[in-house]
Amino acid sequence: MTSDQQTTNTDYDYLIKFLSLGDSGVGKTSFLFQYTDGKFDGKFITTVGIDFREKRVNYRPPGQDTQSGRAQRVHLQLWDTAGQERFRSLTTAFFRDAMGFLLVFDLTNEQSFLNVRNWISQIWSSNYSGQLQLHSYCENPDIVLCGNKCDLENLRCITVDRAKDFADKNGLQYFETSAATGQNVDKAVEALLDAVMKRMEKVVDKSSFPARTPVTDNGNATTKVSENEKHDNSDCAC
Ligand code: GTP
Ligand code: MG
């Protein structure tokens, strides 16, 4: 998967929306900044409400070699939510449109790990209650759990085994990441993209995609009618 800066705004095959969530200060904004720009800033500027980043990637399913068919051009919209409680009703309103979730906790902060369970409930109650049967895409939300700040090894209070055990019991993929060094940041996003693309392919096989594609203009999401071949699930509850 490589970033592709040369394409025009609508020159893509798939528009994929991911959303980061987790307690305030766990490193969601830093994680996304590292993913999109390869940079890290040690200052803490808490996110107010919701923010937004974008990146283009070329996607090939794992195992597909570069000779067999062209890569899918993916436009990633990355929604960065505020972890602070006072923004909760605003941010959870965005959960509904996300196709996948980057659920982040801080390996040096026990409470942020304990709260992962609550964040999972928020995803389910915001997105999926009563809608499970409507869209085959949405039978289970794709969630990747990130134990962030793994560069701070001497401050760690959540062991790898404890986090992995939780992830396994809850059917989540788990990565130990560092927004500071970049460790596993790309891998975590790629794993989520792979899970979502696999799910999308199943839906395409069933020819059940809606023909609406949201596009963005200066960070503001708008919706336009597009060609059928641009795949998006904006009518979907997830
Ligand atoms: P809210 O916007 O309030 O929800 O917080 P957030 O989750 O977006 O946290 P943010 O990315 O702003 O990071 C909080 C603080 O942790 C900042 O000072 C970051 O520099 C620091 N930080 C984030 N990720 C890492 C990391 O992987 N390692 C280290 N050492 N510091 C990190
Ligand atoms: Mg933030």
Side-chain angles (χ1 to χ4, degrees):
M1 196 177 302
T2 57
S3 105
D4 182 0
Q5 307 294 332
Q6 305 303 316
T7 48
T8 58
N9 203 29
T10 55
D11 186 17
Y12 54 80
D13 300 306
Y14 290 88
L15 173 65
I16 304 284
K17 301 175 191 177
F18 289 164
L19 186 139
S20 69
L21 73 169
D23 282 8
S24 179
V26 297
K28 300 178 294 299
T29 300
S30 307
F31 179 101
L32 294 180
F33 189 45
Q34 177 63 252
Y35 178 66
T36 57
D37 292 51
K39 292 179 185 158
F40 174 73
D41 183 348
K43 285 200 295 287
F44 182 15
I45 302 170
T46 193
T47 303
V48 175
I50 190 147
D51 206 347
F52 170 85
R53 306 194 75 81
E54 294 179 288
K55 181 162 169 166
R56 288 293 176 91
V57 296
N58 291 329
Y59 172 79
R60 283 180 197 278
Q64 188 194 80
D65 62 60
T66 49
Q67 306 303 316
S68 50
R70 79 165 169 82
Q72 301 290 350
R73 296 160 305 173
V74 174
H75 186 90
L76 273 181
Q77 276 186 0
L78 302 155
W79 294 91
D80 176 22
T81 61
Q84 286 187 23
E85 179 73 40
R86 64 193 166 115
F87 299 115
R88 199 60 41 87
S89 58
L90 173 84
T91 54
T92 50
F94 284 81
F95 287 15
R96 193 179 178 279
D97 286 330
M99 297 166 174
F101 298 88
L102 292 159
L103 177 41
V104 186
F105 71 93
D106 178 347
L107 286 164
T108 72
N109 178 332
E110 167 105 19
Q111 193 57 48
S112 75
F113 177 68
L114 297 175
N115 285 342
V116 164
R117 206 174 280 284
N118 301 335
W119 287 109
I120 293 172
S121 318
Q122 294 270 342
I123 292 172
W124 279 95
S125 60
S126 302
N127 280 6
Y128 298 97
S129 54
Q131 309 207 31
L132 292 177
Q133 306 307 316
L134 290 179
H135 303 282
S136 55
Y137 181 80
C138 306
E139 279 158 15
N140 285 300
D142 287 307
I143 304 172
V144 165
L145 181 65
C146 299
N148 193 40
K149 306 195 186 181
C150 71
D151 57 294
L152 301 177
E153 191 55 41
N154 50 355
L155 297 177
R156 175 195 283 266
C157 58
I158 307 298
T159 63
V160 181
D161 287 351
R162 189 174 167 200
K164 267 194 182 153
D165 185 54
F166 176 87
D168 288 347
K169 286 187 175 135
N170 288 277
L172 314 175
Q173 293 193 67
Y174 175 63
F175 291 88
E176 303 228 313
T177 62
S178 169
T181 66
Q183 188 177 330
N184 283 341
V185 167
D186 286 5
K187 268 195 188 157
V189 180
E190 284 168 14
L192 184 57
L193 181 59
D194 193 46
V196 168
M197 291 299 282
K198 281 190 178 134
R199 193 187 290 253
M200 299 262 281
E201 271 157 27
K202 281 190 204 149
V203 178
V204 172
D205 285 346
K206 291 182 200 158
S207 305
S208 58
F209 262 101
R212 283 197 316 130
T213 298
V215 295
T216 60
D217 181 16
N218 299 327
N220 297 317
T222 57
T223 304
K224 75 171 186 184
V225 175
S226 75
E227 315 90 89
N228 281 334
E229 69 266 23
K230 291 204 177 152
H231 306 302
D232 172 56
N233 72 341
S234 55
D235 282 345
C236 175
C238 58

